[in-house]
Amino acid sequence: MADEELEALRKQRLAELQAKHGDPGDAAQQEAKQREAEMRNSILAQVLDQSARARLSNLALVKPEKTKAVENYLIQMARYGQLSGKVSEQGLIEILEKVSQQTEKKTTVKVSSPRAWQRARLCRFQCAPEQSVPLSF
């Protein structure tokens, strides 16, 4: 066998063994992540009522990043004692609106040349909806 083939076999065998037995550092990280997730869920179970938890889990299916932001906000409020009792569904909706306003993206249109701007204006007033005019040259 050539040295390259032998080296390829060694790497393949090493990869198989690592996949089979797992990396010890990787297992510790997975366990830490799992403990953190359990802690988050227990805190959220304490601060949210059943309907609010259902709404939050539905939101997690559609917008996981927004759900994470709301969860972080709720956990922070719970840690600092800013919550009095469980948060209802209506309270969660208000929190969602606050988070949406804070993370709202503002879009801007930047025209690179006056001629492109002129074409865009002409197209808006003269073109049929199915027609389009290229804005660049």
Side-chain angles (χ1 to χ4, degrees):
M1 279 190 175
D3 289 335
E4 297 88 21
E5 291 177 17
L6 186 60
E7 187 64 29
L9 286 172
R10 283 183 184 159
K11 286 182 182 179
Q12 181 182 6
R13 182 69 178 146
L14 180 63
E16 288 174 1
L17 287 173
Q18 286 178 346
K20 184 177 179 182
H21 297 292
D23 192 15
D26 192 34
Q29 287 177 347
Q30 292 240 342
E31 187 177 324
K33 284 181 183 179
Q34 187 174 0
R35 275 185 278 148
E36 181 185 343
E38 288 173 3
M39 187 177 71
R40 288 175 68 86
N41 286 334
S42 69
I43 292 172
L44 290 172
Q46 291 173 4
V47 299
L48 293 173
D49 70 358
Q50 193 65 28
S51 59
R53 291 243 336 137
R55 181 174 286 270
L56 194 61
S57 65
N58 288 339
L59 181 67
L61 296 173
V62 180
K63 297 190 178 193
E65 64 281 345
K66 187 175 281 194
T67 304
K68 197 76 160 173
V70 170
E71 287 176 351
N72 290 338
Y73 182 74
L74 286 167
I75 290 171
Q76 181 182 9
M77 288 178 67
R79 284 187 178 155
Y80 292 119
Q82 296 174 346
L83 295 175
S84 57
K86 289 193 172 197
V87 176
S88 66
E89 185 175 5
Q90 188 60 37
L92 181 65
I93 290 171
E94 291 172 9
I95 291 171
L96 283 168
E97 288 173 354
K98 279 184 191 177
V99 169
S100 292
Q101 288 174 354
Q102 290 173 355
T103 60
E104 187 176 295
K105 294 181 181 176
K106 303 216 185 308
T107 58
T108 58
V109 177
K110 190 172 187 179
V111 179
S112 59
S113 70
R115 191 169 201 170
W117 175 252
Q118 217 172 15
R119 281 185 173 177
R121 287 184 63 206
L122 286 174
C123 181
R124 190 174 74 191
F125 292 113
Q126 295 175 354
C127 294
E130 62 274 353
Q131 290 180 333
S132 65
V133 174
L135 297 178
S136 61
F137 299 103

